[in-house]
């Protein structure tokens, strides 16, 4: 997204401790143009093309942050960074706690998630639930350019490690972005659209699908309140609870796998803190629990779409 | 070249030609939007897959990467199944689930290609472990790019294979770039073959555009593996003459001249010259005829690429039937006993 | 556990394709005696000491399984195997699907989990929720010797990759183990103890703590139904639902982190399928969401104990 | 030895002695159940930490492993903070959260030890990256065992450090075993230093039980790093003379004789002989007196180990006060300007 590039460009100008690590993020400007033009401005030390060694450069980023720099790791697809989970879970996530806060860990780990483009199973994962399970990590999964910019800037100014995941199918999306130097704090959901009949929580690309579903349902007089958590760690369930208090019905939509996923966590919190408010069972709509297939018709069948979201909302209203 | 040598050379030529023709077709299919996702062709590197796989029997196995069409074809995956896979059909070798980067055909020893750089090295070592456990004389091969050399999988895989003397051959196709990053930038020591020493195993560098040289080096490596001598690191120095992936820009990180230079070293053309120098062997014509399916189609018409993609279903379209023979006419995966005695 | 060693010994005799990979599992017999005596019997090829390269030998196991062997990876502590998650999630979990079932993946990945012994943060993780999130993996987390043996045997006879996790504090525990050649299928929870006032789901070591809590509460006439899922993938929620139908109250106890954890998944399924049965909010009791500290008093504070389980049950009864 | 050399040698001796005494205390503490979890002592390897850290300034940083007490002490962590940490107290260098394997004292440049084999190599490269970015002349050091050499982190870390010429020194303490597995079994090439070649960086092997040799080799490596010459791989061949971890059996995988042989090569004893050969330097007595805290305690009584563990709280027990001086009397982390001019 152009928006995150703006945030990164501005923050790199402000803070000389920021540098970017990744494959092809130098002269090439990033596989997804995430660093386009920065190499020319900041040179090879601050835009450092890495060999193909995800574990290595993530571990290096950890040490660089311990020594006072602010590394941005641009790992292209989240699938690739699975090779570095040891460094992320055992080291990056723990250093601040283990050092009693004497060391900081301002590492930004960013890359793409999501099904699309027939990218097949090694280029289409969405693993935010894994990161959100681990204490010490913050996980942002924006759904639009303005949020992406505000959240990225916030990430680049905090002390904590942040996993920043953008859906590949959102990279080309345009949208209004406020001017100036502002951030979006983590852990605050956005009410994308107010409504009164049912609460839908959707993340990342699913927000767009849900918006389309809402528009279709609105014509029939069905009023959906749509909530975008924006960050899954910390996760703002208070906003969801407030909405459920109005609507009594809750659907969670996330492209990532369902088991031990976003829907599970939100549903569990609501079942603990808002059980009395519920007029119907909590529903979850997730991507199929299977590797993402290549063939376009198969691929289209594994991720939620505007249509399946719409159907899930209807089903929930009938419960 | 004597008769045996030239018939062997023809076999190698046929394998290379099959790959080249298929890749050209697939590239066109990608341009026409029939093939989706990323499509990394093997054009320019054919000698490596052809030379190495010619040394393998049907029972031997191969693990490969995102750039795996050539290995699949050389190991005996029917072109029709490769095409069907990239077209997203249920008749594809991975049932349409994999596409270009995830080819599976264990029935011919293509154990899998992967969209992640590195794992094939470990998996080949693993298959070799099984073969050693069973003492069944089979050999595993990992094909991987120069980019994988800097990855921990290379280090861990080669070391384990060395200490356990596993029957595996590590074939590094050093085409000098990982996407757009030159190997000379990303490797502290860009001489891949010399890195065998770090693991106490033999490292051999070979001209990867000379299929006969690859053939000889692979023979030695495969024999060593089969006889219990352990793994070999085989660096094949080569070049891809098409972009990293179809549709990507190509002259930002390398020059048109460099590409042209390497095109002039085309492994097919080089072997053709040698073959012709040695006189036209008896079976030369026949061999061309046999592989005519894939070889003629692109010339006759690009529209011969099989029709628009549709949901995977049991049958491929009729139109594709003629252009892709179900199996290459010559058995691509020769059994060991077919090896020319002169080579033993 | 002696029980798993028996199962492994018997299965290795039965199936020559089984071999074990790990650090010190050869002559030394395993850090936790998981392979004691096997080296003498089966030799170095079937009990293969590895270098310290978790990613490497897990990846190797993947290839070995593809070629027809049945590797057992003994990774000592689950914390170490985080370096191999790329191989597990991207390769081992996917091969069967991607190959259309033509390749099998009978890899057993086993090791220890759990807080205890002042082992500190790199030797005390419990990451079963991560594995259970990924399609294609089976995850067993037994709580007693008999289950451990039956589940291990089942794992060694199936075609699927299994992550088999034993709590370190359970390794020394003794218990009755049936004789003979029997297995426990995955995905069947055990009703450890029937009851009628409240349902408690507990995993691994937590089953023991919960049992102690039940015993204490029984004296006051509080009747707890205790369920041990035994495997978290597949996860048997039907048994939990049947119990909740009786009791109307549910507490889930797991030492692993709470967010996106076992409690979340069970609670979400119950909130979807058994909402009407609930008389009280669903409660979850998890380990603290923080790295495990070393100091004994700190360590004692981060994991649930019989006391805290008891208190949680009381609280739930008051809801 | 001239005066300068011998005063330097004394400094090295003092560092080693401090480590040895502390480790002996800690081992006793473990036997008595005051120290929990695993406790990997550094006995036998003192020359490595002492020799390398003597070349570092306070501003330089060190990353280490499960066997990190020696590095912590040599880098200047007050023994009292180390003891408090292992006793599980809030006054410990990691506030009682870490214990033996997780020591953090960034204020003296001990950036962290880790219970996972490998990461310290990458992290040291990372700190070096920061130093390079800032061009501030600082140097990072990774200490790791032979066991880590076979790990992908070694491969990826050394390669990155080499191509970016990072100011880092990779110190492999080859004590020949990883737990009970001999390095000669687990490494395809057990000559660690020679592996530098695989990354295009200098590899140097040194007698790790000769602190003066370590000192010289480390000086060269640190200077190279500081002057922009990039990383060095320094293999220190040594031996641990206590079990892998306190309380573990020790003579199943190695013989008593071998251990005794290595004990005879004790780095402290060897330097003592040299020092005495060169005449007793003026400050020899003084130095012994200064480090008397930890050095005398174990002799006077094992019960001098600080009292039973209790919840972390702001103060350590009074009894430990005498035996562990808050800071070693000589500044352990010398600034560069203190280096004897004869060495420059
Ligand atoms: C672990 C991982 N990181 C990054 C990528 C993205 N990627 C795909 S191909 C490629 C370059 C591979 O270069 P090389 O190994 O030399 O093979 P070549 O493309 O030259 O055949 C990269 C970086 C990946 N697939 N896997
Ligand atoms: C990734 C990982 N795997 C396994 C272990 C278990 N382990 C702890 S120490 C050790 C041996 C380390 O050997 P070496 O690196 O030579 O250091 P030494 O103990 O000899 O100082 C092992 C295998 C670990 N800590 N981390
Ligand atoms: Mg390449
Ligand atoms: Mg060692």
């Amino acid at each position: 997204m152009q928006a995150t590039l703006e945030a990164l460009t501005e923050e790199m100008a402000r803070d000389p401790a920021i540098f970017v690590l990744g494959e092809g993020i130098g002269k090439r400007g990033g596989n997804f143009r995430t660093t386009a033009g920065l190499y020319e401005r900041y040179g090879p030390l601050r835009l450092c093309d890495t060999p193909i060694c995800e574990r290595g450069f993530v571990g290096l980023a950890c040490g660089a942050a311990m020594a006072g720099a602010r590394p941005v790791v641009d790992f292209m697809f989240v699938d690739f960074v699975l090779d570095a989970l040891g460094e992320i879970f055992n080291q990056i996530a723990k250093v601040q706690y283990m050092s009693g806060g004497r060391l900081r860990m301002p590492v930004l780990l960013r890359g793409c998630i999501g099904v699309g483009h027939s990218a097949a199973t090694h280029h289409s994962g969405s693993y935010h639930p894994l990161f959100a399970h681990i204490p010490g990590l913050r996980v942002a999964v924006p759904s639009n350019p303005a949020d992406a910019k505000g959240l990225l800037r916030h990430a680049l100014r905090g002390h904590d490690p942040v996993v920043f995941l953008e859906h590949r199918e959102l990279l080309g999306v345009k949208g209004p972005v406020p001017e100036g130097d502002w951030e979006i704090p983590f852990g605050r959901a956005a009410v994308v659209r107010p409504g009164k009949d049912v609460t839908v929580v959707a993340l990342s690309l699913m927000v767009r699908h849900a918006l389309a579903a809402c528009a279709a349902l609105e014509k029939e007089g069905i009023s959906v309140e749509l909530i975008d958590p924006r960050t899954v760690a910390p996760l703002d369930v208070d906003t969801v609870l407030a909405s459920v208090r109005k609507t009594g019905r809750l659907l969670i939509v996330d492209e990532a796998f369902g088991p031990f996923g976003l829907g599970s966590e939100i549903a569990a919190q609501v079942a603990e803190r808002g059980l009395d408010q519920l007029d119907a069972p909590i529903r979850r709509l997730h991507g199929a629990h299977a590797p993402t297939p290549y063939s376009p018709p198969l691929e289209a069948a594994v991720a939620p779409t505007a249509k399946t979201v719409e159907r899930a909302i209807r089903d929930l209203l009938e419960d | 070249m004597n008769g045996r040598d030239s018939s062997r050379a023809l076999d190698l030529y046929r394998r290379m030609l099959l790959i080249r023709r298929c890749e050209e077709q697939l590239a066109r299919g990608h341009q026409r939007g029939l093939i989706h996702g990323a499509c990394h062709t093997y054009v320019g590197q054919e000698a490596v897959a052809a030379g190495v796989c010619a040394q393998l029997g049907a029972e031997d196995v191969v693990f490969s990467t995102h750039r795996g069409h050539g290995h699949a074809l050389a190991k005996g995956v029917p072109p029709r199944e490769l095409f069907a896979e990239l077209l997203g059909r249920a008749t594809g070798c991975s049932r349409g689930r994999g596409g270009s980067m995830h080819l599976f055909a264990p029935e011919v020893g293509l154990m899998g290609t992967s969209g992640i750089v590195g794992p094939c090295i470990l998996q080949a070592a693993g298959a070799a472990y099984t073969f050693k456990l069973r003492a069944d004389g089979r050999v595993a091969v990992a094909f991987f790019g120069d980019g994988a050399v800097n990855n921990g999988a290379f280090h861990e895989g080669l070391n384990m294979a060395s200490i356990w003397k596993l029957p595996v051959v590590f074939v590094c196709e050093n085409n000098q770039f990982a996407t757009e990053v030159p190997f000379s930038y990303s490797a502290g020591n860009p001489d891949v073959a010399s890195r065998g020493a770090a693991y106490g195993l033999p490292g051999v560098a070979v001209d990867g555009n000379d299929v006969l040289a690859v053939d000889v080096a692979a023979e030695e490596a495969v024999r060593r593996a089969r006889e219990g001598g352990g793994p070999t690191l085989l660096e094949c120095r080569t070049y891809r003459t098409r972009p990293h992936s179809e549709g990507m820009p190509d002259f930002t990180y390398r020059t048109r001249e460099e590409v042209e230079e390497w095109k002039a070293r085309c492994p097919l053309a080089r072997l053709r010259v040698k073959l012709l120098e040695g006189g036209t062997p008896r079976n030369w014509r026949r061999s061309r005829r046999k592989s005519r399916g894939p070889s003629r189609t692109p010339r006759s018409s690009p529209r011969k690429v099989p029709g628009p993609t549709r949901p995977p279903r049991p049958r491929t379209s009729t139109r594709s039937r003629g252009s892709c023979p179900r199996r290459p006419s010559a058995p691509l995966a020769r059994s060991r006993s077919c090896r020319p005695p002169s080579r033993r």
Side-chain angles (χ1 to χ4, degrees), chain A, chain B:
Chain A
M1 294 187 190
Q2 187 61 27
T4 56
L5 178 56
E6 278 171 30
L8 182 59
T9 309
E10 291 160 20
E11 290 305 304
M12 284 189 80
R14 224 181 49 88
D15 183 353
I18 298 177
F19 71 98
V20 189
L21 283 167
E23 290 153 21
I25 55 87
K27 232 180 245 157
R28 190 177 160 213
N31 193 52
F32 298 114
R33 317 296 302 148
T34 44
T35 52
L38 294 181
Y39 182 89
E40 290 68 27
R41 197 180 300 194
Y42 298 114
L45 254 180
R46 294 187 69 194
L47 283 122
C48 180
D49 274 335
T50 61
I52 307 172
C53 52
E54 277 73 9
R55 178 185 175 192
F57 60 77
V58 168
L60 184 143
C62 177
M66 287 161 91
R70 195 178 267 284
V72 175
V73 175
D74 192 329
F75 51 68
M76 218 180 315
F77 286 95
V78 75
D79 310 81
F80 304 163
V81 93
L82 299 185
D83 285 337
L85 290 187
E87 301 304 321
I88 299 173
F89 294 172
N90 275 329
Q91 309 292 329
I92 288 177
K94 293 180 175 178
V95 162
Q96 295 194 95
Y97 176 84
M98 294 308 293
S99 68
R102 286 172 295 164
L103 291 168
R104 298 300 197 177
M105 193 44 60
V107 174
L108 174 62
L109 299 155
R110 70 178 299 194
C112 271
I113 56 170
V115 173
H117 278 81
S118 283
T121 190
H122 286 162
H123 297 71
S124 60
S126 290
Y127 294 107
H128 45 270
L130 303 184
F131 297 107
H133 178 65
I134 305 296
L137 298 177
R138 296 177 176 266
V139 185
V141 196
S143 71
N144 62 68
D147 286 356
K149 183 168 183 177
L151 292 166
L152 193 83
R153 198 195 310 268
H154 188 72
L156 287 172
R157 293 188 178 177
H159 291 307
D160 301 331
V162 174
V163 180
F164 190 92
L165 302 169
E166 293 174 272
H167 199 292
R168 187 188 179 174
E169 303 296 317
L170 286 175
L171 292 182
V173 161
K174 297 201 188 326
V177 176
E179 290 290 309
D181 183 10
W182 52 279
E183 327 176 11
I184 299 177
F186 287 3
R188 296 216 197 134
V191 178
V192 179
R193 206 193 124 107
K196 56 185 181 31
D197 297 329
V198 56
T199 302
V200 174
V201 178
L203 191 73
S204 187
L205 180 65
M206 298 301 111
V207 174
R208 294 178 70 82
H209 291 345
L211 271 172
C214 294
L217 292 163
E218 191 169 38
K219 294 190 196 117
E220 304 171 27
I222 299 171
S223 160
V224 180
E225 178 142 312
L226 178 59
I227 295 174
D228 175 359
R230 303 197 288 199
T231 61
V232 299
L235 180 63
D236 174 8
V237 179
D238 290 346
T239 301
V240 178
L241 281 164
S243 176
V244 169
R245 223 165 292 145
K246 282 196 303 188
T247 64
R249 285 166 204 271
L250 175 60
L251 168 72
I252 304 123
V253 187
D254 183 21
E255 187 185 297
F257 303 131
F260 299 77
L262 181 66
S264 323
E265 180 58 27
I266 294 177
Q269 288 200 38
V270 172
E272 179 155 12
R273 298 164 57 200
L275 193 71
D276 298 342
Q277 318 292 335
L278 289 168
D279 298 326
I282 303 172
R283 297 284 176 202
R284 298 176 284 161
L285 181 62
H286 281 275
H289 199 224
T292 310
Y294 159 78
S295 183
L298 291 177
E299 186 194 42
V302 297
T305 61
K307 273 266 158 295
T308 57
V309 174
E310 187 186 323
R311 195 177 324 128
I313 296 173
R314 283 187 203 282
D315 288 352
L316 179 53
L317 284 167
E318 279 166 22
D319 272 330
Chain B
M1 274 185 198
N2 64 26
R4 276 217 185 79
D5 277 1
S6 64
S7 95
R8 174 162 194 80
L10 273 175
D11 173 57
L12 292 168
Y13 189 79
R14 208 159 43 219
R15 284 172 200 258
M16 293 197 293
L17 190 62
L18 178 73
I19 298 171
R20 174 71 55 94
R21 295 306 191 207
C22 285
E23 290 291 36
E24 286 172 346
Q25 285 251 51
L26 292 171
R28 273 194 207 90
H30 195 271
Q31 283 151 20
R32 292 180 52 209
L34 302 175
I35 288 166
H36 316 275
C39 178
H40 308 88
T41 68
Y42 198 62
V43 175
Q45 305 182 199
E46 295 90 347
V48 182
V52 172
C53 291
Q55 293 296 340
L56 301 177
E59 70 289 355
D60 297 322
V61 299
V62 154
F63 295 81
S64 158
T65 66
H66 58 287
R67 197 178 302 288
H69 309 163
H71 311 123
L73 293 167
K75 193 63 179 60
V77 174
R80 156 177 303 213
E81 288 187 20
L82 175 67
F83 278 64
E85 185 57 35
L86 272 74
L87 290 165
R89 297 192 175 151
T91 47
C93 61
S94 307
R95 313 304 181 235
R97 295 173 180 177
S100 165
M101 284 195 271
H102 307 271
L103 307 172
F104 288 87
E107 54 285 354
V108 298
L110 181 79
M111 303 303 275
T113 69
S114 161
I116 305 290
V117 169
C120 61
I121 297 176
L122 304 172
Q123 290 165 10
Y129 199 96
T130 298
F131 301 158
K132 175 151 185 157
L133 195 66
R134 291 201 184 133
D136 61 6
R138 293 159 75 191
V139 168
V141 173
F143 290 102
F144 52 93
D146 46 283
V149 170
N150 301 312
N151 190 281
F154 174 87
H155 186 68
E156 300 186 352
L158 267 68
N159 187 56
M160 288 187 293
S162 172
I163 65 174
W164 299 326
K165 283 208 172 305
L166 301 180
V168 53
V169 182
F170 298 110
V171 181
C172 173
E173 305 193 44
N174 184 351
N175 64 9
Q176 303 171 45
F177 292 93
T179 314
E180 309 195 350
V181 179
F183 190 58
S184 56
Y185 163 83
S186 61
N189 169 4
D191 179 347
V192 176
S194 77
R195 298 215 192 173
Y199 312 102
L201 56 83
V204 179
V206 66
D207 179 346
N209 280 31
D210 177 350
V211 71
L212 299 177
V214 173
D215 185 49
V216 170
E219 183 183 27
E220 166 87 14
V222 170
R223 188 197 307 125
R224 180 178 302 124
R226 222 184 286 286
E227 290 173 357
T232 304
L233 171 60
L234 187 60
E235 177 189 8
C236 301
R237 296 186 178 154
T238 182
Y239 202 85
R240 62 169 160 73
T241 51
R242 295 190 66 88
H244 171 69
S245 180
E246 286 306 303
M248 275 175 66
D250 207 20
F251 304 113
T252 43
Y253 61 100
R254 60 183 191 178
T255 62
R256 214 173 276 273
E257 291 70 48
E258 189 177 294
V259 177
E260 288 308 318
E261 225 172 80
W262 277 94
K263 276 188 182 165
R265 293 185 227 170
C266 169
L268 283 86
R270 277 169 71 180
L271 182 58
R272 209 183 303 125
V273 169
K274 272 197 196 149
L275 280 169
L276 295 174
E277 272 169 3
T280 307
R282 264 208 327 256
N283 45 4
W284 166 238
R285 293 180 88 102
R286 195 153 48 90
S287 120
R288 280 198 62 186
R289 222 181 312 127
K290 276 190 176 167
S291 64
R292 77 170 180 276
S295 73
R296 278 204 321 197
T297 315
R299 272 191 224 139
S300 59
S301 159
R303 256 159 294 138
K304 275 273 161 76
V305 170
T309 319
R310 51 193 80 169
R313 24 166 230 161
R315 302 191 322 125
T316 48
S317 89
T318 348
R319 263 151 102 209
S320 71
R321 206 165 279 170
S323 58
C324 299
R326 232 200 84 69
R327 291 209 167 248
S329 43
L332 280 185
R334 285 180 321 115
S335 86
R336 264 175 293 154
S337 55
C338 298
R339 242 186 256 157
S342 65
R343 282 271 146 111
R344 288 238 128 180

